[in-house]
Amino acid sequence: MSEARTSRSARLATVAAWLLLLVGLWLWGRELSILPGLPGTGDVSAAGVQLPPAHDPLPAARPRRVDIPAIGVRAPVVDRGLDQDRAIEPPPYDRPGAVGWYAGGTRPGAEGAALFVGHVDTASDPAVFYDLSALKQGQKVRVARADGSLAEFTVEDVQVIERDDFDAGKAYGERRAGRAELRLITCGGTFDPATGSYSSNVVVSAYLTGTGP
């Protein structure tokens, strides 16, 4: 097998292992209580960014597209379910520019935390969430929904979490009662070809702050 094919196989194995771990932890973490002391409605974050007030949750509607202007993302959303091992199905490997939404969970814009996942790269090229860790507090994530509305979320924080330090409650637990929240997740840190794994996960947390047509 060529070096390129070996690299590709290792990375696909990494993505599969990451998603299995990630969603298992998320499904467990959904039952956890609200986390106190985190930036939210009208708060000034540790970075000195004035975060806007939260918008009331919207009626449930399926997502169709994700736009993240700060990092040049304009991506279609594909529904994902759980496979026979109860791991979320990743976006198709032949669609590295698509974002996967766990369709069995919260619909973005509705109350609760909606989960979006995306590949960080392929064997040779960046994928949809390659620059996810470059997002900053206060920047926007817009989700076009099937009812024709646009849900605008404001980034609350961006964390690069080492695998050994991953806490499902902090990553996926609802942060403020009654809010519509969003999580964007991909792999992060360094890629180790010997183990076929990344050292960290990137978790972006955002909350609903506006709407549009």
Side-chain angles (χ1 to χ4, degrees):
M1 180 180 293
S2 69
E3 182 178 346
R5 292 187 63 187
T6 300
S7 175
R8 179 175 177 81
S9 297
R11 288 185 182 233
L12 294 185
T14 297
V15 171
W18 162 62
L19 288 166
L20 178 62
L21 170 65
L22 195 59
V23 175
L25 290 171
W26 178 71
L27 291 173
W28 169 74
R30 289 179 67 189
E31 304 302 322
L32 299 179
S33 60
I34 309 303
L35 299 176
L38 294 167
T41 305
D43 288 344
V44 177
S45 74
V49 177
Q50 181 70 44
L51 298 175
H55 191 285
D56 290 340
L58 306 174
R62 304 176 78 84
R64 288 291 179 260
R65 192 184 71 248
V66 176
D67 297 337
I68 314 176
I71 57 173
V73 169
R74 184 178 176 87
V77 175
V78 292
D79 293 3
R80 301 282 85 185
L82 299 179
D83 64 19
Q84 61 185 3
D85 297 317
R86 295 195 58 76
I88 192 172
E89 298 170 330
Y93 296 128
D94 61 354
R95 297 186 64 187
V99 171
W101 165 61
Y102 175 53
T106 300
R107 299 187 177 196
E111 183 177 344
L115 176 64
F116 282 7
V117 297
H119 298 299
V120 66
D121 58 15
T122 65
S124 58
D125 298 299
V128 64
F129 279 169
Y130 184 78
D131 289 324
L132 195 66
S133 63
L135 281 176
K136 295 178 174 59
Q137 286 182 327
Q139 293 180 327
K140 305 300 183 182
V141 179
R142 300 183 179 101
V143 179
R145 309 192 320 154
D147 63 358
S149 68
L150 186 72
E152 183 174 81
F153 297 82
T154 296
V155 174
E156 190 166 34
D157 66 51
V158 180
Q159 300 181 64
V160 180
I161 307 172
E162 293 289 332
R163 291 287 181 84
D164 292 342
D165 296 328
F166 194 91
D167 184 313
K170 290 182 179 179
Y172 307 120
E174 187 181 354
R175 294 189 162 198
R176 296 283 178 106
R179 290 198 313 184
E181 299 180 351
L182 189 66
R183 302 290 183 271
L184 308 172
I185 298 99
T186 193
C187 294
T190 57
F191 179 75
D192 183 355
T195 62
S197 64
Y198 284 88
S199 62
S200 307
N201 289 117
V202 177
V203 180
V204 172
S205 299
Y207 64 102
L208 184 69
T209 54
T211 62

